[in-house]
Amino acid sequence: VAAITMPAPLPTTAADRQLTTPFPHHVLSVKQFNRRHLHQLFQVADEMRTLVERMGSIDLLKGKILSTMFYEPSTRTQCSFMAAMERLGGSNIPVSIEQSSVKKGETVADTVRCMECYSNVLVIRHPEKGSVANAAKFAKVPVINAGDGTGEHPTQALLDLYTIREELGTVNGLTITLVGDLLNGRTCHSLVQLLSLYNVTLRYVSHESLRMPASIVQEVAAAGITQTEHTDLNDVIAETDVLYVTRVQKERFASVEEYEAVQHKYVVSLATLANAKSNMVIMHPLPRVNEISPEVDYDPRAAYFRQMKYGMYVRMALLATLLGHA
Amino acid sequence: VAAITMPAPLPTTAADRQLTTPFPHHVLSVKQFNRRHLHQLFQVADEMRTLVERMGSIDLLKGKILSTMFYEPSTRTQCSFMAAMERLGGSNIPVSIEQSSVKKGETVADTVRCMECYSNVLVIRHPEKGSVANAAKFAKVPVINAGDGTGEHPTQALLDLYTIREELGTVNGLTITLVGDLLNGRTCHSLVQLLSLYNVTLRYVSHESLRMPASIVQEVAAAGITQTEHTDLNDVIAETDVLYVTRVQKERFASVEEYEAVQHKYVVSLATLANAKSNMVIMHPLPRVNEISPEVDYDPRAAYFRQMKYGMYVRMALLATLLGHA
Amino acid sequence: VAAITMPAPLPTTAADRQLTTPFPHHVLSVKQFNRRHLHQLFQVADEMRTLVERMGSIDLLKGKILSTMFYEPSTRTQCSFMAAMERLGGSNIPVSIEQSSVKKGETVADTVRCMECYSNVLVIRHPEKGSVANAAKFAKVPVINAGDGTGEHPTQALLDLYTIREELGTVNGLTITLVGDLLNGRTCHSLVQLLSLYNVTLRYVSHESLRMPASIVQEVAAAGITQTEHTDLNDVIAETDVLYVTRVQKERFASVEEYEAVQHKYVVSLATLANAKSNMVIMHPLPRVNEISPEVDYDPRAAYFRQMKYGMYVRMALLATLLGHA
């Protein structure tokens, strides 16, 4: 275990975010959110959960249209937003980007200016970092970033946080362990940035070559959060309240041998959980390949399928808030 | 004409299905249905027809979401379910499986567990036999099999049966002739299994190499149904009440010559119908390629386009029943 | 500037269209429309605009289903129709033609006969000229041509005309300049045919090899409209009320050199507009590639993004009219 000693804090930190900032118009980055925003959003998400469980859907966004513009596919995220919109009484236009004007050379800016003529809110995924924020400059209607390559996927982080809150009742005081590919996993980066608004302890478990980037570690440290790095999950499993698992991709390693040598260390099985708390939870942004054994699925601590349902409630809350109906 | 002599009946037959069995939770096979289920389903389908003709749609499933997960394309079946859901006041999420998590190595089980978080009912088509039944094990919400490779396509058989009932007033007492590829056509297999719940006579017309499989013939015989095999449609056309045509694919033959030698025998033209009854009907699961001449389309006995409309009513009835609103 | 001297008028002209003709059942060509139809349609479009601005959507087409059958992709047009239908309270079934029965050899006629079982109106785009009119023969429900190859795209011309009317208050008395590829642009052909129902002056600006086809020029002349041809936009920009820009495709030229030699002449920039009227408008059917400089986007005369919103209102008006609810 190596405690991370950090250089002097950077000027812009999570703590700097003013609590008086209004709720974002476009949702592009987790850095736009302060604790008041999150509190407000999650309270609406709680209401949405109650309403959906009781009635299936409501008419809050009747007459509103959400267009999902996915420049790279993501079934789970797209369907989650579509279900959220339907359950709010609104409508969806899923734009078939692959077979579209893009091929005729149209810029994302022009496609956005087109789709906003028909829509009340846009959800965009695009493989290039920064592209969604750029697209948002051309839109009068709210734009939600559903993933911009190595950039961010803010609604995933929001639903991760909401899952922790719903499963464990609070975020403060928890020890949260992130395991897998912490270098490339934008999900992890966004989540720890949001977590640094709370009073948590972070454990990072990964192969040496896949450690959390220094820039993220610095930001989190600047918020006064304790972070430690590990290569063995056994070191921290006993104290873990939330185990956040991500996929380790073969392609990230220099050789297949190197991958196979370490890969088993980051697979979560019932054996891994032998010393885990009885009330901890296991999360995963999904899709899961083999980093969580199927035997774990039936353990009540496996929260990764419930996580998707929380995601729908958070996205309902977000859509309702952005469109001024929450 | 060769009457089929069968070995001793198999233990599980259509007749064995208890009439007290509740309506299926998942719709995976025609074998789940007894005559009471069919009677109930078709009565609801009749009501749906009346309501759609009078009002276009109703609000019965308002707030419910159907997700269609098609691991292989089938425009007709997918659109039929979507139209059924819309006309019931519900919503659709058509999942773009081809460009999805499947490519990232996600199992069907995990995709099902994801989609059921957003949905109230799932319709799944998958190229592998047994895969939909397997997927249903992981779903709490009802799953409908929309075709599992060489397995079944139960809602096609249900709509075929409903079409016969609506077009001819009854199923009992009819002579039903199936022509085309009886070996590989899962549509034919499912239909004769359902028909064996009634008092019918079955005629099978096909090339020798494309005969109805022995296992199906045995099951049907066990239900006490008369079945005969033929190579010439002229042998049976005069007594036929329902002519069920299916496609003969070139690829099923050893050589193009062999295909061309027999293919014309199974093409239905106005000449074929010269000796047919005036109140018989011609059906086809569609798409039709050249096994029914376009000239037949304008004959009132051509029921294959009306068949699709009956399909929408049956699927409306099924969705309403499965979701407890019929 | 060369005034065009025309041969004797053709027998069938715009002026011949009887004002007593009922509103078309299928929308296949601009030639089906007379001024009374247009007046009626645009009045409904005005109402739609008011209703959408006030309420987002209405329940006029509740229970109606629109199926969009696009045999070649067109995101903009498909999404525009879908948004129009949703804002009328109806539902959409976007048919995935590419992965469908077409591959199994089904004719367009059969696919149409299938989809009309589920739908109340069909919108079809197909790469072959005449194919949509042919498909409409097999449909009892209204069919709208959303582009048939080198044929027509009538709803584009209708929305272009509505845009002129809304932006400038009237069509009569205007000078309308079309620039770009006038030979191959079906958009231009349909628009001038509709414009010839009004009292306008037409200026055609293009490379010699991309001039307006003689057949169109003849039809327009027969309606008594003044038309002139130019190679330099500067000749006519000062008197222009509507500048309708279309794309010049590299592939249309014999060599890249020839393309590059003329291409800059047809790019609209702020410099191009130096001598233009302050209340003229610039239109474009989109997608735009580089034929209008991005700097022009912020000029209030740039109407090409507003044009898409007008398009939604016109398509709402058309759907409501065809389905007997306007």
Side-chain angles (χ1 to χ4, degrees), chain B:
Chain B
V1 182
I4 302 174
T5 318
M6 293 304 310
L10 292 174
T12 306
T13 70
D16 291 343
R17 290 168 211 162
Q18 291 302 314
L19 289 183
T20 53
T21 313
F23 201 90
H25 174 65
H26 300 304
V27 174
L28 303 171
S29 165
V30 290
K31 297 194 184 178
Q32 297 173 286
F33 291 86
N34 61 39
R35 277 189 63 172
R36 191 179 50 77
H37 297 148
L38 297 173
H39 183 75
Q40 177 190 335
L41 184 71
F42 294 160
Q43 241 176 351
V44 177
D46 283 347
E47 287 171 42
M48 293 301 164
R49 184 182 181 176
T50 306
L51 290 166
V52 167
E53 283 170 1
R54 198 178 300 157
M55 302 192 291
S57 75
I58 51 177
D59 281 343
L60 201 68
L61 297 190
K62 190 165 186 295
K64 306 287 187 192
I65 293 178
L66 162 64
S67 292
T68 47
M69 301 169 59
F70 277 57
Y71 288 82
E72 63 179 15
S74 173
T75 302
R76 194 179 320 277
T77 302
Q78 189 171 19
C79 291
S80 174
F81 272 109
M82 289 174 73
M85 195 64 183
E86 291 292 345
R87 295 207 183 278
L88 287 162
S91 304
N92 287 288
I93 299 184
V95 184
S96 304
I97 292 288
E98 311 233 332
Q99 348 168 316
S100 79
S101 300
V102 177
K103 287 200 178 153
K104 299 179 195 163
E106 189 174 64
T107 61
V108 175
D110 274 15
T111 309
V112 162
R113 284 189 278 209
C114 169
M115 290 312 301
E116 79 156 349
C117 288
Y118 310 145
S119 321
N120 301 94
V121 53
L122 305 176
V123 172
I124 307 179
R125 170 173 289 217
H126 193 284
E128 265 172 62
K129 185 175 176 173
S131 57
V132 179
N134 188 53
K137 288 181 200 154
F138 298 94
K140 282 177 284 291
V141 305
V143 168
I144 300 174
N145 178 3
D148 61 331
T150 58
E152 290 208 40
H153 185 7
T155 63
Q156 176 71 45
L158 292 170
L159 79 87
D160 288 341
L161 194 61
Y162 182 66
T163 300
I164 296 173
R165 185 179 172 277
E166 291 297 295
E167 290 278 322
L168 297 175
T170 181
V171 178
N172 284 313
L174 299 182
T175 295
I176 294 145
T177 299
L178 296 99
V179 59
D181 181 350
L182 308 183
L183 178 63
N184 303 290
R186 69 177 168 202
T187 301
C188 293
H189 307 167
S190 293
L191 178 57
V192 298
Q193 287 179 315
L194 274 191
L195 285 170
S196 68
L197 291 171
Y198 298 80
N199 175 25
V200 295
T201 302
L202 298 177
R203 307 293 182 211
Y204 303 146
V205 181
S206 73
H207 184 254
E208 277 167 25
S209 64
L210 297 175
R211 287 203 174 146
M212 188 68 80
S215 61
I216 305 279
V217 172
Q218 282 179 340
E219 280 184 56
V220 172
I225 304 292
T226 304
Q227 311 163 82
T228 55
E229 290 186 334
H230 313 262
T231 52
D232 193 340
L233 183 53
N234 289 323
D235 291 357
V236 293
I237 191 68
E239 60 163 331
T240 295
D241 296 299
V242 175
L243 180 62
Y244 195 93
V245 187
T246 62
R247 196 174 154 205
V248 179
Q249 289 179 277
K250 221 176 275 190
E251 308 86 81
R252 304 294 187 191
F253 288 85
S255 69
V256 174
E257 291 71 33
E258 200 184 339
Y259 166 75
E260 284 171 355
V262 304
Q263 178 262 355
H264 70 279
K265 276 193 176 172
Y266 309 111
V267 170
V268 176
S269 66
L270 286 180
T272 319
L273 298 173
N275 298 317
K277 295 182 183 180
S278 64
N279 65 338
M280 54 84 73
V281 293
I282 307 154
M283 295 171 60
H284 191 298
L286 304 180
R288 163 258 312 253
V289 181
N290 55 8
E291 56 277 4
I292 301 180
S293 302
E295 62 187 22
V296 178
D297 298 355
Y298 303 97
D299 189 298
R301 293 171 291 188
Y304 35 92
F305 296 126
R306 296 192 291 274
Q307 204 174 337
M308 286 181 290
K309 199 139 201 171
Y310 295 126
M312 186 174 74
Y313 301 135
V314 166
R315 286 175 175 132
M316 287 179 75
L318 200 59
L319 290 168
T321 304
L322 293 178
L323 293 174
H325 286 76

Side-chain angles (χ1 to χ4, degrees), chain A residues 127-130 145 147-154 185-187 189-190:
Chain A
E128 266 172 61
K129 186 175 175 173
N145 178 2
D148 62 331
T150 58
E152 289 208 42
H153 185 6
R186 70 178 168 201
T187 301
H189 306 167
S190 293

Side-chain angles (χ1 to χ4, degrees), chain A residues 62-65 91-96 99-101 104-106 110 113-120 138, chain C residues 56-57 59 73-76 79-80 82-83 86-87 98 247 286-289 297-298 305 308-309 312:
Chain A
K62 190 165 186 294
K64 306 288 186 192
I65 293 179
S91 304
N92 287 288
I93 299 185
V95 185
S96 303
Q99 353 168 312
S100 78
S101 299
K104 298 178 195 163
E106 189 174 64
D110 274 15
R113 285 190 276 208
C114 169
M115 289 312 301
E116 79 156 351
C117 287
Y118 311 145
S119 321
N120 301 92
F138 298 94
Chain C
S57 76
D59 280 343
S74 173
T75 302
R76 195 179 320 278
C79 291
S80 174
M82 289 174 74
E86 291 291 345
R87 294 206 183 278
E98 312 235 329
R247 195 174 154 205
L286 303 182
R288 163 256 312 255
V289 180
D297 298 355
Y298 303 96
F305 296 125
M308 285 182 288
K309 199 139 201 171
M312 186 174 73

Side-chain angles (χ1 to χ4, degrees), chain A residues 176-221:
Chain A
I176 293 144
T177 300
L178 296 98
V179 59
D181 181 351
L182 307 183
L183 179 64
N184 304 290
R186 70 178 168 201
T187 301
C188 294
H189 306 167
S190 293
L191 179 57
V192 298
Q193 287 178 315
L194 274 191
L195 285 171
S196 67
L197 292 171
Y198 297 80
N199 175 26
V200 295
T201 302
L202 298 178
R203 309 292 181 211
Y204 302 147
V205 181
S206 74
H207 185 253
E208 277 167 24
S209 64
L210 297 175
R211 286 203 174 146
M212 188 69 81
S215 61
I216 304 280
V217 172
Q218 282 178 340
E219 281 185 54
V220 172

